[in-house]
Amino acid sequence: MNRVPRTVLVPSIALNDGHAIPQLGFGVFQIDPEDTAEAVSEALEVGYRQIDTAQMYRNEEGVGEAVRACGVDRADVFVTSKLDNRFHRPADARRAFDATLSALGFEYVDLFLIHWPLPTLYDGDFVSTWNTLQEFHQDGRARSIGVSNFQVEHLRRLGAECDVMPAVNQVELHPYLLNRDVHAYDQAHGIATQAWSPIAQGIVLGDPVITAIADRLGRSPAQVVLRWQIQHGNIVFPKSRTPARIRENFELFDFQLGSRDVDAIDALDRGEAGRTGPNPDTMANLPD
Ligand code: NDP
């Protein structure tokens, strides 16, 4: 297997704390715990070097198992996890972070995020949670720290009340939800934007604008949408349980979209109507 030449094709995005993240990775949301090691092993073999998991996905063990077994140096694989919504209070967050490291079997995680701001829970106090994540960064067990699903007002509050800004903000972002305000705020404040559900869980792939571009370029609709994400500078980690799609989603660096195609995909934005997941302002679900 010839790993190195394929892997170096993936650009890195510099983070505001001096670290860097591969722009393309592999997401494991909704992959069963018992299937996760196999799926992540497949992705690592294809050349992915960034894996996105979360405490709430209940599959960190499988991610750790695959990364530890793959024969690539730990330092060359970038692993992200996220705090369970149940554990925002500082003492709970500390325990939960310890549990993440032991589930992964790692001494450190590359990136640890607050999964949801939950502004209607915990007296709206995501600031204490953010300050707790800074402890993990300071003691070196989280190389980078960030947030997920933070809206502009949530980021503003961190800016006003905290010394350190997140390295990344991971939000729903795809052709039907460009999330323009959040993306612009991230960009203006040195926060890298990670696009979750980068192909909208497949919903956008039948859009005639996208299929027409795909047909013209001889690419798949998923490759066109992921390439659009890459050209916008977004960090992506499409999920797939299908080996052929895992390979397909990695083949993004031998073609480009012209500006007219980028503009045509941008024009598919439906604003809030394009959102497929919960609205972060009201999302208050705690796992069972
Ligand atoms: P994606 O946009 O990555 O879409 C995944 C779906 O698309 C699966 O049903 C998959 O099917 C299908 N698919 C994948 N590749 C192709 C392809 N080439 N052609 C056709 N269909 C394809 O959705 P996710 O919601 O999984 O988002 C990606 C990652 O983002 C997650 O895994 C997770 O890591 C992260 N995320 C974070 C959230 C947060 O709140 N921070 C919320 C949601 C996701 P199949 O598996 O059957 O191949």
Side-chain angles (χ1 to χ4, degrees):
M1 182 175 32
N2 193 0
R3 285 200 187 97
V4 174
R6 308 189 78 202
T7 306
V8 294
L9 293 174
V10 177
S12 281
I13 300 286
L15 302 178
N16 63 15
D17 58 10
H19 292 291
I21 179 172
Q23 193 177 5
L24 173 63
F26 183 69
V28 298
F29 178 44
Q30 292 175 327
I31 299 185
D32 288 341
E34 57 273 21
D35 296 338
T36 302
E38 187 186 297
V40 173
S41 298
E42 174 79 29
L44 290 164
E45 193 165 313
V46 166
Y48 292 81
R49 293 292 179 270
Q50 187 232 119
I51 312 292
D52 185 89
T53 183
Q55 293 173 350
M56 290 191 290
Y57 303 167
R58 300 174 205 258
N59 57 16
E60 292 169 308
E61 282 86 354
V63 171
E65 184 187 328
V67 171
R68 283 183 276 109
C70 71
V72 178
D73 281 352
R74 169 70 188 90
D76 293 331
V77 186
F78 191 107
V79 178
T80 301
S81 193
K82 319 184 192 85
L83 182 68
D84 188 309
N85 287 346
R86 291 173 300 172
F87 302 137
H88 273 215
R89 296 206 192 284
D92 293 334
R94 290 183 194 111
R95 269 192 295 274
F97 183 68
D98 290 346
T100 273
L101 291 184
S102 80
L104 289 165
F106 296 163
E107 289 175 1
Y108 68 90
V109 71
D110 295 277
L111 177 63
F112 195 68
L113 309 180
I114 300 179
H115 205 146
W116 289 90
L118 306 175
T120 64
L121 300 178
Y122 302 105
D123 304 316
D125 181 16
F126 49 76
V127 172
S128 305
T129 315
W130 176 243
N131 287 332
T132 308
L133 261 62
Q134 289 174 51
E135 296 172 15
F136 313 149
H137 178 55
Q138 279 153 11
D139 69 21
R141 294 184 305 150
R143 295 270 162 98
S144 297
I145 50 173
V147 295
S148 178
N149 300 301
F150 271 46
Q151 305 275 57
V152 168
E153 69 268 27
H154 306 139
L155 295 169
R156 278 207 186 103
R157 193 164 152 207
L158 296 188
E161 297 183 35
C162 306
D163 297 332
V164 175
M165 283 302 269
V168 311
N169 185 21
Q170 181 176 132
V171 295
E172 182 178 348
L173 197 166
H174 47 68
Y176 289 166
L177 176 65
L178 264 70
N179 229 328
R180 291 178 197 265
D181 292 354
V182 171
H183 196 251
Y185 189 95
D186 287 349
Q187 257 183 333
H189 294 83
I191 301 167
T193 300
Q194 298 190 313
W196 66 250
S197 291
I199 57 172
Q201 299 202 337
I203 291 169
V204 296
L205 301 182
D207 190 287
V209 168
I210 290 164
T211 55
I213 296 170
D215 289 348
R216 178 161 37 80
L217 299 181
R219 292 286 169 160
S220 73
Q223 288 174 323
V224 167
V225 174
L226 292 168
R227 180 70 211 179
W228 169 83
Q229 295 271 15
I230 295 288
Q231 288 184 210
H232 272 306
N234 300 333
I235 299 161
V236 285
F237 23 84
K239 169 265 177 187
S240 179
R241 270 303 281 126
T242 315
R245 290 174 171 174
I246 294 175
R247 282 193 294 280
E248 177 186 318
N249 295 345
F250 196 73
E251 304 296 334
L252 306 180
F253 302 102
D254 58 347
F255 76 110
Q256 283 201 5
L257 301 178
S259 58
R260 259 197 250 163
D261 289 341
V262 171
D263 292 347
I265 300 174
D266 286 353
L268 298 176
D269 187 15
R270 297 176 179 175
E272 273 307 301
R275 200 182 277 286
T276 65
N279 185 313
D281 291 323
T282 51
M283 199 294 191
N285 288 349
L286 301 180
D288 300 333

